[in-house]
Amino acid sequence: MGEFDGKVVFITGIARGQGRNHALRFAREGAAIIGIDVAKPVSEYITYEQATEEDFRETVRLVEEAGGKIVARIADVRDSAALRAAVDEGVAQFGRLDVVVANAGICSWSRFWEMPDEQFEELVDINLTGVFKTLKAAAPAMIEAGNGGSIIVVSSVAGLKAMPGQAHYGAAKFGLVGITQAAAKELGEFNIRVNSIHPYGVKTPMGTDQGSLKMFERFPAWLPNFAPILTEKPIADPDDTSDAVLFLASDRAKTITGSQMALDQGNSKV
């Protein structure tokens, strides 16, 4: 018996990293997965390796190997029609939708006055507007199912505390707090909870981006902004984030909505 037997979970950004880990953890607990990923490079400003179709297919293989059922489609969170189609297909196959994990996002670096307009705009379009479109595509199916449910928005410590070199990222991640709280208030009457999580660094291609080290070499005065309080494990494992996601998705968190959960090794308090 798994904690999520009979439940259906929609996850964005499943090709690798945190999204893949969330999909695997839910599948091992008995959930069926609806998953999407763009599965290709989306920005010339990103300095870490971007996801591929091979990564996407590997996630599907791993979920199925774990005994999970999955409807996986290549789709961009900026494309409302593609998001709705993926949700509709998954609900048609699995019969319901219980949990949403709005995980897809990108990160890049620049001082704000040197940042090309395109760099700012594309990140906000993916990290903020993409979450709005994800929730917009999923909420009607959750309401129609009539089972309540949980939405987890993946923000960042940068959504609690602005970071140098990331004005665009902070703007998007702070914006997710507003979306989270507004959605929680609008969906409360349907017993659908909405919360955001705020990780610090995670051992994923994005979380270990070597491009950030080059920025710190150029601007060492920035370093104190990134210091954690808990120094024994300054970079989290994907499972650390998934632990929080599964908790917020579960009945153990039935009294929590409209909240921001810091998973940041104390960095937001430095």
Side-chain angles (χ1 to χ4, degrees):
M1 293 289 290
E3 186 173 18
F4 294 95
D5 284 348
K7 300 293 181 69
V8 180
V9 183
F10 175 42
I11 306 171
T12 64
I14 65 162
R16 61 181 190 180
Q18 293 184 63
R20 173 187 287 176
N21 205 68
H22 302 332
L24 284 170
R25 289 284 300 274
F26 275 111
R28 289 168 185 157
E29 291 294 333
I33 308 299
I34 306 169
I36 67 105
D37 199 289
V38 69
K40 66 178 182 180
V42 294
S43 173
E44 66 178 282
Y45 302 104
I46 292 174
T47 50
Y48 54 87
E49 187 176 349
Q50 299 181 61
T52 65
E53 287 194 34
E54 183 178 358
D55 295 324
F56 179 80
R57 290 192 295 270
E58 177 65 4
T59 296
V60 174
R61 187 191 70 80
L62 290 168
V63 168
E64 292 177 340
E65 183 180 71
K69 297 178 180 179
I70 183 168
V71 168
R73 297 293 176 262
I74 292 177
D76 192 321
V77 292
R78 293 171 290 186
D79 185 342
S80 290
L83 290 168
R84 287 194 302 270
V87 170
D88 289 348
E89 183 178 355
V91 171
Q93 180 163 329
F94 300 133
R96 59 192 287 169
L97 180 59
D98 302 279
V99 177
V100 176
V101 185
N103 166 78
I106 63 171
C107 183
S108 61
W109 297 82
S110 179
R111 294 193 296 190
F112 75 87
W113 66 90
E114 297 171 336
M115 186 182 297
D117 290 352
E118 182 184 23
Q119 183 179 358
F120 185 97
E121 291 162 359
E122 72 180 7
L123 185 141
V124 171
D125 203 17
I126 292 169
N127 289 18
L128 179 61
T129 309
V131 171
F132 160 73
K133 291 180 178 180
T134 298
L135 271 56
K136 182 180 178 181
M142 298 180 77
I143 293 168
E144 184 176 351
N147 300 307
S150 177
I151 296 172
I152 299 97
V153 172
V154 181
S155 181
S156 165
V157 65
L160 301 173
K161 163 190 168 180
M163 299 291 199
Q166 293 190 325
H168 54 340
Y169 192 75
K173 295 299 187 178
F174 265 89
L176 292 181
V177 173
I179 288 177
T180 296
Q181 293 186 6
K185 293 172 182 178
E186 294 180 18
L187 292 172
E189 66 180 289
F190 305 103
N191 198 31
I192 297 170
R193 299 177 291 104
V194 189
N195 297 285
S196 60
I197 61 169
H198 297 259
Y200 178 53
V202 183
K203 290 179 183 175
T204 66
M206 181 191 297
T208 57
D209 178 12
Q210 296 302 299
S212 65
L213 299 181
K214 294 180 180 179
M215 295 298 289
F216 296 151
E217 289 175 0
R218 289 181 60 199
F219 309 111
W222 292 1
L223 282 168
N225 294 278
F226 293 86
I229 292 173
L230 299 177
T231 57
E232 183 177 354
K233 189 179 181 182
I235 302 295
D237 295 317
D239 271 330
D240 297 323
T241 306
S242 292
D243 285 343
V245 169
L246 268 69
F247 167 71
L248 288 171
S250 75
D251 289 340
R252 291 173 289 140
K254 62 186 176 182
T255 63
I256 305 174
T257 195
S259 294
Q260 284 63 62
M261 181 180 287
L263 312 174
D264 65 348
Q265 286 93 319
N267 173 259
S268 59
K269 301 300 185 287
V270 174

